[in-house]
Structure formats: structure tokens, C-alpha cells
Amino acid sequence: MVKKVKILLLALFISVQLYAQRTDIMDKDRIARVDSLLDDILFEDEDIYSLLEKDQTFQFLYFATNYSNRTFYAGRENGDYQSNLSGQIYYMNSAGFFAGLSGSWYNQLDPNYRSTILTVGYGQGIKNKHFFRYRLSADYFIFHVNDPEFEPIYNSSINAGITLKSKSFGTRFDGSLLVGQEVGKQFTWNNYAYLYLLRFGKYNYLRLEPEVSLFFGSEAAEFLLNEAYVDQTTNLEVDTYYKDVFTLLNTQLRLPLSLNWKNFDMQLSYIYNIPRTIGDSESYANTSYFRLSLGYIISL
């Protein structure tokens, strides 16, 4: 029963794709991948849903840490081979409510630890409709920047998403509305599959979880003018202009190898980015990196 409860709470917890902070690209990267390990565990087995019909309440704490050997946002590299280490702690219950905080450390930033994300949310399914689940959450960003003139454009976000799945395949849609001095939006569409390699009992396993993700967001793209002109103030020739464009920014291919053993979860992922160049600027190169994720869940 303990194993069933652990898997149930992992399914109930919705690791929403969170996005924010155009003024700090490192926070955009971190928010976009807060606890991807839980995303990949969601809706893992049809037996999970039989537990939802029982009149019992469960509460859990989930601890996780993630290491990436390089840092990207929408396939665009941040820093020169910059690595990052993130940590999360979340409270979850069987009613579908969750709350937590997360933060990340970057080896090339000053300060290395830059911001904290506070999250509250709710995720549930519909009884007898096991192929469908929905989620809602809100996030607040606390910045640790030693600059009195630093004013973030976004300080919070409102997020929503749905998942449709079969036993071995699924698709997720997640959107974020960023609020603060300005209002922005971002959207992801993920398609994934589960390929079991080994099973150690009913809920312990080793499996591959291939996934294709499309990321849509805004970018200040550079375009060439039809005719260059000289700026009268600076006396410099101007031949380009910038325009904020909302479009597909990146296609990401992920190949995670996941191990679930009792209260522990571990995932080693190879990730390949195919960024889309917007406007007339220099094309972005395809990139790749590795991520290691570790998680542990305890019952309260």
C-alpha cells in the first residue's frame, strides 16, 4: 500500500512548466524545467486511479535535486558551458493540492544563487476519465540580486495545463501568463512514451521515457531594414530594427532513463535542442547536454 500511495502522490503532484523573468535568462531556464522528473512520472499506471476512489487522505513531502552540465533557455545557451544545480521541496496531498519552493545555483553567476520560486497549485483528474487530467498553479519569484537598480519585469505567473494519455503514450499542454511590470505568455506541448526495460515488483522499474517538446514564447527578434538610415542623434548608420515576436522558439528531444525504487526516483537524461532562429539575426546552432535528477518522497 505504501508503494501505491507513493505513486499516487507522484501522479497527483503536477510539476507545472513554469516560465518567467525576461530580465534574467537564468531564471527563465530554471523555471521552465522545475522538477521535470515528476512530469515524466505522471499518469504512469492505470492502477493509480483506483486509489482515487478510496476515502483516505495522504500527505507527503517530496525532495528533489537536478544537475545539468550546460544551461539553455529555448535552446539558446546561457554562458560558456555553464552548469547548474537546482533543488526543490514540495508538500502534496491526495486531494490534489501542492505547495513548495525551489532554487538554483549557477557556476558562472554572481551571486551564484539568484532567485527562489514559491508555488501553490491544484491538480486532479475526472473519475472514470483516466485519460484526462488538469492542473492550475500560481508562482511568486523572490530575487537575490545585490543591485538596488534591479527591477524585474515579471514577479509572478499563473499557470494551467492538461494531459491526455493512454497506457504507454501521452501528450501535455502547459501555458503560463507572466505578470509584473508587463504581461507575457509562454506555452509548451510535450509528447512522450514509456518503454519498460525491467520491473522490480509492481511499482519499481527501469524504463526509457522518450519525449518531444515544442516551446513557444516571445523573443525580441532582429530584422533588416529595407533601407538603412543615419541616426541624427548618434550619427550612426542603422540598418536593423527589433520586434517582439511570439512563436515557436525551440524543439527539444529528450531521452531519459528513469529508475523508480521504493521511495527514491533517479533519472539520467540526454537532451537535444533544435532552436529556431527568428528574424534576420545569426542562426542558432543545435545543442545538447545531460541532466541528472534525484528525488525522495516521505509520508507525513
Side-chain angles (χ1 to χ4, degrees):
M1 181 53 137
V2 173
K3 291 180 181 178
K4 286 186 177 181
V5 172
K6 174 175 73 74
I7 299 298
L8 166 64
L9 266 296
L10 285 174
L12 287 176
F13 175 71
I14 306 300
S15 179
V16 181
Q17 301 280 342
L18 309 174
Y19 307 99
Q21 206 47 35
R22 181 162 37 176
T23 57
D24 195 322
I25 203 72
M26 304 306 159
D27 293 312
K28 284 176 124 179
D29 163 71
R30 177 167 61 82
I31 294 163
R33 59 177 173 76
V34 167
D35 208 0
S36 62
L37 179 60
L38 285 181
D39 268 339
D40 296 321
I41 293 173
L42 291 175
F43 322 116
E44 175 256 337
D45 197 293
E46 291 299 322
D47 291 335
I48 294 170
Y49 298 99
S50 64
L51 298 177
L52 294 174
E53 300 174 357
K54 296 185 177 181
D55 259 346
Q56 292 177 297
T57 300
F58 307 105
Q59 300 182 82
F60 283 81
L61 285 177
Y62 184 79
F63 303 86
T65 184
N66 308 282
Y67 170 78
S68 297
N69 68 322
R70 297 175 71 179
T71 301
F72 297 91
Y73 170 72
R76 285 82 164 141
E77 186 168 16
N78 304 315
D80 185 12
Y81 287 87
Q82 176 168 225
S83 61
N84 64 79
L85 178 69
S86 65
Q88 301 91 40
I89 177 172
Y90 281 91
Y91 162 82
M92 301 162 273
N93 68 35
S94 52
F97 293 98
F98 60 89
L101 58 87
S102 62
S104 287
W105 179 93
Y106 295 89
N107 71 325
Q108 295 178 13
L109 289 187
D110 184 17
N112 299 112
Y113 183 79
R114 198 167 185 87
S115 63
T116 301
I117 303 174
L118 305 180
T119 302
V120 293
Y122 177 79
Q124 262 296 1
I126 299 176
K127 287 186 178 181
N128 302 321
K129 303 291 183 181
H130 297 170
F131 63 89
F132 176 82
R133 290 185 69 84
Y134 63 90
R135 48 200 172 269
L136 301 167
S137 69
D139 310 287
Y140 182 73
F141 314 114
I142 302 173
F143 297 95
H144 314 290
V145 179
N146 299 321
D147 183 355
E149 296 184 359
F150 175 75
E151 294 184 5
I153 293 178
Y154 305 121
N155 55 35
S156 56
S157 70
I158 301 170
N159 318 288
I162 62 171
T163 296
L164 305 171
K165 70 168 292 295
S166 65
K167 289 185 177 180
S168 301
F169 301 92
T171 186
R172 294 193 296 265
F173 302 90
D174 289 282
S176 292
L177 182 66
L178 315 176
V179 295
Q181 296 184 43
E182 298 181 8
V183 176
K185 56 186 181 296
Q186 294 183 327
F187 177 79
T188 59
W189 177 22
N190 300 323
N191 297 281
Y192 60 93
Y194 296 143
L195 304 174
Y196 288 90
L197 303 178
L198 292 172
R199 283 187 179 272
F200 315 97
K202 191 169 186 180
Y203 295 109
N204 301 320
Y205 55 79
L206 178 69
R207 71 185 183 190
L208 287 172
E209 302 172 358
E211 183 171 334
V212 179
S213 176
L214 303 180
F215 175 73
F216 298 81
S218 296
E219 181 170 90
E222 183 181 21
F223 296 90
L224 292 172
L225 289 168
N226 292 329
E227 185 176 347
Y229 69 93
V230 176
D231 188 304
Q232 299 299 321
T233 304
T234 63
N235 207 30
L236 296 176
E237 184 179 75
V238 178
D239 58 3
T240 63
Y241 70 98
Y242 288 86
K243 181 181 179 181
D244 200 30
V245 180
F246 182 86
T247 186
L248 173 66
L249 296 181
N250 188 44
T251 300
Q252 189 174 87
L253 310 178
R254 288 197 287 268
L255 186 61
L257 178 64
S258 294
L259 173 66
N260 186 79
W261 178 254
K262 297 183 178 179
N263 286 35
F264 288 94
D265 299 287
M266 182 175 70
Q267 186 180 88
L268 178 63
S269 303
Y270 173 73
I271 302 171
Y272 190 81
N273 291 312
I274 308 173
R276 181 178 175 218
T277 302
I278 310 301
D280 300 314
S281 59
E282 185 177 350
S283 297
Y284 294 106
N286 294 352
T287 56
S288 63
Y289 64 106
F290 290 94
R291 179 185 300 156
L292 177 65
S293 303
L294 300 172
Y296 183 76
I297 192 166
I298 60 174
S299 177
L300 300 177

